[in-house]
Amino acid sequence: MKKLLILLAALTLPMATAQAQDRDAAEAFFLKFADMINAYDQQVAALYSDLAQINTRRTDEKGKVEIINQHPMKWKRIMVLAMQLGKIRKDKTDFADIEVIDQGDGLFKIKANRYSHLFCYTDKGYFQKIQAQAAGGFLIVEEYLETQAVSAC
């Protein structure tokens, strides 16, 4: 029985180590994403898959909520413009309470509280899903964010 337990531990330890390394790599990818956002790096658009699902819950000035589904190629163009505009307006975004959830097959869901310094609000629903790529690294395959038209500052 003792030999069986040792064999079982020897077989599962490398899997647990690999899963932890994958999770760490996913978190590192997200932290790189956050750094690129705050450095106004237009190359952040390249982190998105050409097939990504982008959903935004937008609250307008009157409190009306609209769900916007962006085409991924349009979103990439928006991200480039957003980096330029963010730099002019000195907009910064903080990500806190980051949680990385392994969903299997190289897919990770990353949840975080996203704070906008320009609009003084926290998006508590923010998440992105990233997929490991055969060539290495990750791409964002889904993102959900909540925005508002009126500053809370």
Side-chain angles (χ1 to χ4, degrees), residues 44-60:
V44 72
L47 300 180
Y48 289 85
S49 163
D50 290 346
L51 303 174
Q53 296 176 11
I54 311 298
N55 300 301
T56 304
R57 181 182 184 268
R58 176 89 171 149
T59 304
D60 72 12

Side-chain angles (χ1 to χ4, degrees), residues 3-44:
K3 288 182 181 179
L4 180 61
L5 289 175
I6 292 171
L7 177 63
L8 183 60
L11 293 174
T12 58
L13 184 59
M15 284 192 322
T17 302
Q19 286 174 332
Q21 289 172 341
D22 291 346
R23 188 201 163 286
D24 290 347
E27 185 171 10
F29 174 88
F30 181 75
L31 294 174
K32 175 186 169 189
F33 165 84
D35 287 345
M36 291 175 79
I37 293 288
N38 285 317
Y40 314 111
D41 187 340
Q42 296 175 27
Q43 292 301 311
V44 72

Side-chain angles (χ1 to χ4, degrees), residues 25-148:
E27 185 171 10
F29 174 88
F30 181 75
L31 294 174
K32 175 186 169 189
F33 165 84
D35 287 345
M36 291 175 79
I37 293 288
N38 285 317
Y40 314 111
D41 187 340
Q42 296 175 27
Q43 292 301 311
V44 72
L47 300 180
Y48 289 85
S49 163
D50 290 346
L51 303 174
Q53 296 176 11
I54 311 298
N55 300 301
T56 304
R57 181 182 184 268
R58 176 89 171 149
T59 304
D60 72 12
E61 307 83 22
K62 296 178 183 177
K64 181 183 172 201
V65 175
E66 180 181 10
I67 303 296
I68 303 166
N69 301 308
Q70 297 284 359
H71 186 280
M73 300 311 284
K74 180 179 179 183
W75 183 252
K76 287 183 176 194
R77 290 191 302 275
I78 289 170
M79 288 301 292
V80 169
L81 295 173
M83 294 302 102
Q84 295 169 355
L85 185 59
K87 186 173 187 177
I88 292 166
R89 296 175 4 177
K90 295 181 174 48
D91 190 9
K92 292 289 183 184
T93 302
D94 292 336
F95 292 94
D97 302 322
I98 299 165
E99 182 181 0
V100 180
I101 304 159
D102 186 344
Q103 297 194 308
D105 295 326
L107 182 67
F108 292 86
K109 182 175 185 177
I110 302 170
K111 296 168 44 175
N113 290 333
R114 185 181 67 85
Y115 180 78
S116 167
H117 287 266
L118 185 64
F119 285 88
C120 301
Y121 76 94
T122 300
D123 169 3
K124 293 185 177 184
Y126 179 85
F127 75 85
Q128 66 177 227
K129 291 184 180 180
I130 62 173
Q131 179 68 56
Q133 302 299 296
F138 293 93
L139 285 176
I140 299 167
V141 296
E142 184 178 352
E143 187 172 44
Y144 172 81
L145 55 153
E146 297 175 356
T147 63
Q148 59 189 47

